[in-house]
Amino acid sequence: MTKLYFKRTLFFVVGLLCAIIMPAQDLPVLPADPAVRTGTLPNGTVYYIVQNKTIKGVADFSLVQKTGTTNIGDSSASDHVTGIARDALSALPRCLSSSAQEFFTSHGATPGKDGFVKVTDNSTQFIFKDVIISSPAVLDSTLLVISDIIDRVSTAEDPFVRKWYAPSDQAVVISGDVDPASVADRLKLL
């Protein structure tokens, strides 16, 4: 009796999955939103910029890397990934403050529960929310810090870092009271 029940349940689940998956294959691809300016920097890093004037003079900045604690396929390296992410915020060559954390907190950004760096199973995220971009110099400095993080991990001598932190595996996301065309031009200059 148990074998019969198990077989019926298995066939039901397989049938249900086929009914769900088969129609999903024909879903249309959503068109790109013209409000989001996208592009690829010369080093291969992709960027997404959207204007949001909800809060004047404030923007959110993120750098997302495709390297997390489990998607690298080496469970012994998860501590290494977290250490690399934390180290990437210290001693940046073009950071005007003594640290990136100090720079961002002095311009209104508050770290999340994980600080400014969040490492998940499949990504490393540098998140700088509510940065007060009161002057073009603050915006430029923010972009320089992000550029330094990309450069620092992608030019490291550590073979692990060079393999898993290529600029082409990273994306910059900016949302806030910014001019997307102007910010894209500034990113390209860096």
Side-chain angles (χ1 to χ4, degrees):
M1 183 72 170
T2 307
K3 281 186 175 182
L4 181 63
Y5 178 75
F6 176 75
K7 284 182 182 180
R8 284 184 179 172
T9 305
L10 180 65
F11 284 123
F12 174 76
V13 170
V14 169
L16 182 63
L17 287 175
C18 287
I20 293 170
I21 294 172
M22 297 302 277
Q25 292 177 350
D26 296 328
L27 289 176
V29 176
L30 294 174
D33 186 341
V36 179
R37 183 175 210 94
T38 63
T40 304
L41 300 173
N43 66 0
T45 301
V46 177
Y47 63 84
Y48 303 89
I49 307 167
V50 66
Q51 186 176 51
N52 179 353
K53 293 185 176 189
T54 304
I55 304 174
K56 296 287 183 202
V58 175
D60 295 339
F61 299 83
S62 297
L63 172 64
V64 181
Q65 301 168 330
K66 290 183 184 177
T67 303
T69 56
T70 59
N71 69 345
I72 56 176
D74 180 2
S75 61
S76 66
S78 73
D79 288 338
H80 194 52
V81 170
T82 303
I84 290 168
R86 302 268 181 238
D87 290 346
L89 282 177
S90 61
L92 296 170
R94 297 180 285 193
C95 188
L96 303 176
S97 299
S98 60
S99 71
Q101 291 95 327
E102 183 180 303
F103 169 78
F104 284 110
T105 54
S106 70
H107 292 288
T110 54
K113 68 178 180 96
D114 299 314
F116 289 117
V117 181
K118 181 177 181 181
V119 179
T120 66
D121 288 346
N122 58 9
S123 70
T124 300
Q125 305 161 23
F126 296 87
I127 304 166
F128 311 107
K129 294 183 67 111
D130 300 326
V131 178
I132 300 169
I133 48 173
S134 54
S135 70
V138 174
L139 177 60
D140 290 343
S141 295
T142 301
L143 297 177
L144 280 172
V145 169
I146 291 171
S147 176
D148 279 352
I149 295 169
I150 294 168
D151 290 346
R152 179 169 180 170
V153 294
S154 65
T155 59
E157 305 226 358
D158 182 345
F160 176 87
V161 174
R162 291 190 60 86
K163 176 179 180 181
W164 290 103
Y165 291 93
S168 58
D169 289 337
Q170 301 181 48
V172 176
V173 181
I174 302 168
S175 171
D177 189 19
V178 296
D179 174 28
S182 173
V183 173
D185 290 342
R186 288 176 176 178
L187 274 172
K188 291 174 190 172
L189 288 174
L190 300 175

